[in-house]
Amino acid sequence: MSTDLSPIDKAKYAAARRASEMVEDGMRVGLGTGSTAAWLVRCLGERVRDEGLRFRAVPTSTRTAELAREVGIEVVSLGDAGWLELTIDGADEFDADLSLIKGGGGALLHEKIVATASDQMVVIADAAKEVDTLGRFPLPVEVIGFGWQATQALIEEALASLDVDGRDTKLRMDGDAPYTTDEGNRILDLQLGRIGDPRQMALVLNQIPGVVENGLFIDICDRVMIGHSDGRVETRDLATGTVTEDQADEGGNLFTDLDG
């Protein structure tokens, strides 16, 4: 493993490396978006090159699709793939119930569609992503561009009756212009501090006109693989309630051309 990587980057790599071993020939696999997912794609590309692994991938963003094609992975649409055996993705936060906040990379809508069209969703993350209560990371909410200010006002009104510590909402920007998702929508980031009832929050948000989807992933994640900087990977399986720990395969340096 590259000695130039930070401890957090080494942890992300370890989780990605270990998760890449779950992919088998002939599978249909959803590939997430973000820095950890990018390392997963690199690891899978190495297996395609060195082991002749063949599988069909459904990326959750144009960024992931471009990287997957670059490393030799076959990319197909979700419509062409149909149901998926496995989706592997990162998370901005996860709790003990494996509830997640996702969408920091702006792909929450595609990520949720792909994850729920899979037999199993596996999250790969470093230990810093674990929290006692969701909400420290801003909750992304994807909204349509038309009347987004009205949608924002309705969200802020709804937050007044929910169990949260903060109620600030901000339009995500990309430089001087609003950030635009792959579906042409915008994202509002909710600075909540703490979400007392994530399930209620998700239901309330998705009833507001103009909201396309929110970044709370409830009852979707089946397993989380937590990487550590020394190469250890802790795996928590929600269905079995088991926790296992092993060492990620210390392969070659896959990161010389990655931004991190």
Side-chain angles (χ1 to χ4, degrees), residues 26-30 56 83-87 117-121:
M27 273 189 168
R28 294 159 295 179
V29 180
R56 291 188 292 167
W83 200 258
L84 308 178
E85 285 88 0
L86 174 66
T87 287
S118 306
D119 289 331
Q120 182 179 189
M121 181 196 187

Side-chain angles (χ1 to χ4, degrees), residues 104-182:
L108 66 99
L109 177 60
H110 286 191
E111 288 172 335
K112 189 172 284 190
I113 292 172
V114 170
T116 54
S118 306
D119 289 331
Q120 182 179 189
M121 181 196 187
V122 174
V123 161
I124 49 177
D126 61 274
K129 299 299 192 299
E130 183 173 12
V131 295
D132 292 330
T133 304
L134 296 178
R136 182 177 61 193
F137 190 90
L139 175 64
V141 178
E142 187 160 341
V143 301
I144 66 171
F146 175 79
W148 69 265
Q149 298 93 337
T151 302
Q152 182 180 29
L154 290 170
I155 290 173
E156 291 173 348
E157 180 180 342
L159 291 178
S161 62
L162 295 172
D163 183 14
V164 295
D165 286 346
R167 297 184 178 88
D168 290 338
T169 64
K170 295 181 179 179
L171 180 68
R172 186 178 298 185
M173 302 297 291
D174 183 10
D176 295 330
Y179 177 87
T180 303
T181 70
D182 282 352

Side-chain angles (χ1 to χ4, degrees), residues 82 88 111 117 125 189 213 232:
I88 307 174
E111 288 172 335
D189 288 311
E213 189 54 83
R232 290 179 297 117

